[in-house]
Amino acid sequence: VAVVSSQSSGSSGINAEYGGIVNVSARDKGTGKEQQISIQSSGGLSNDQIENMVREAEKYAEADKVRKEKVELKNQAESVANDTESKIDEFREQLNADEAQKMKDNIAELREIANDDEKSADELREKLNEVQQSSLKLFEMAYKQNMANNTTNEGGDSTTHDAEYKDAK
């Protein structure tokens, strides 16, 4: 980009180059003297600075990985807690009240561990697995209870009878 301005007593020009370098020149028409100045960005990083930044990033990569894992586990724990609480409400008729309360207590412990920055990802993973396994067992019992209730409500006769039939043509 070049911009040239001329006045009766002189002219000036500005030339911006691709690397952020700006050249400015001015010429006095009366004396013929010319002045120039180059302006360039000093905000660039040296190779040493770049290498230091890369080493610093590598140094903290493992800590970042651990922190990311904990955040992902925390999100998963919250999702499992919310889903399990929702299912407890949905199946409260079929659930044993004591077992449901134990599950709620387990969920509260899971949330405590998830929100405790001092707890490790392994501790959170262990509690998350425990809650998932407990909820599976609890809802399996609820499902069986529901099936038993439905069978009883349909007459209670669950025996199979053999029968013969003929097609009428």
Side-chain angles (χ1 to χ4, degrees):
V1 174
V3 177
V4 177
S5 168
S6 62
Q7 301 171 346
S8 59
S9 64
S11 68
S12 62
I14 300 174
N15 184 18
E17 296 179 8
Y18 175 70
I21 300 172
V22 178
N23 294 309
V24 180
S25 63
R27 178 179 300 206
D28 185 329
K29 288 183 178 179
T31 63
K33 290 187 175 181
E34 183 176 343
Q35 292 282 330
Q36 289 186 332
I37 186 169
S38 289
I39 304 168
Q40 62 187 60
S41 173
S42 63
L45 299 173
S46 71
N47 285 341
D48 286 341
Q49 290 172 316
I50 292 170
E51 288 175 22
N52 284 339
M53 293 171 106
V54 169
R55 278 194 297 273
E56 185 103 353
E58 289 171 349
K59 180 173 140 183
Y60 293 110
E62 185 62 30
D64 289 344
K65 180 181 171 188
V66 169
R67 192 174 17 256
K68 178 184 175 193
E69 180 184 21
K70 178 116 189 244
V71 167
E72 288 172 349
L73 281 168
K74 184 177 179 179
N75 290 340
Q76 185 180 359
E78 191 59 37
S79 177
V80 166
N82 289 337
D83 289 346
T84 305
E85 286 174 333
S86 173
K87 295 294 183 198
I88 288 172
D89 288 342
E90 183 179 338
F91 294 106
R92 67 181 162 271
E93 303 281 327
Q94 291 85 17
L95 295 174
N96 174 300
D98 291 337
E99 293 297 322
Q101 187 56 50
K102 284 181 190 176
M103 191 74 239
K104 287 179 181 181
D105 293 343
N106 235 353
I107 291 169
E109 290 173 18
L110 175 64
R111 283 190 168 125
E112 276 182 37
I113 292 172
N115 292 320
D116 186 346
D117 291 337
E118 299 298 316
K119 299 292 183 180
S120 70
D122 288 337
E123 291 172 289
L124 178 55
R125 185 181 300 102
E126 185 178 319
K127 188 63 177 181
L128 177 59
N129 288 336
E130 180 185 322
V131 168
Q132 287 175 316
Q133 293 301 315
S134 298
S135 69
L136 285 174
K137 289 176 185 172
L138 182 66
F139 295 117
E140 181 181 353
M141 290 188 314
Y143 178 78
K144 287 179 181 177
Q145 177 66 36
N146 196 26
M147 292 299 292
N149 289 345
N150 286 342
T151 303
T152 304
N153 292 339
E154 293 173 359
D157 187 9
S158 62
T159 58
T160 304
H161 298 281
D162 289 331
E164 290 185 29
Y165 71 95
K166 291 183 182 179
D167 286 330
K169 291 186 183 183

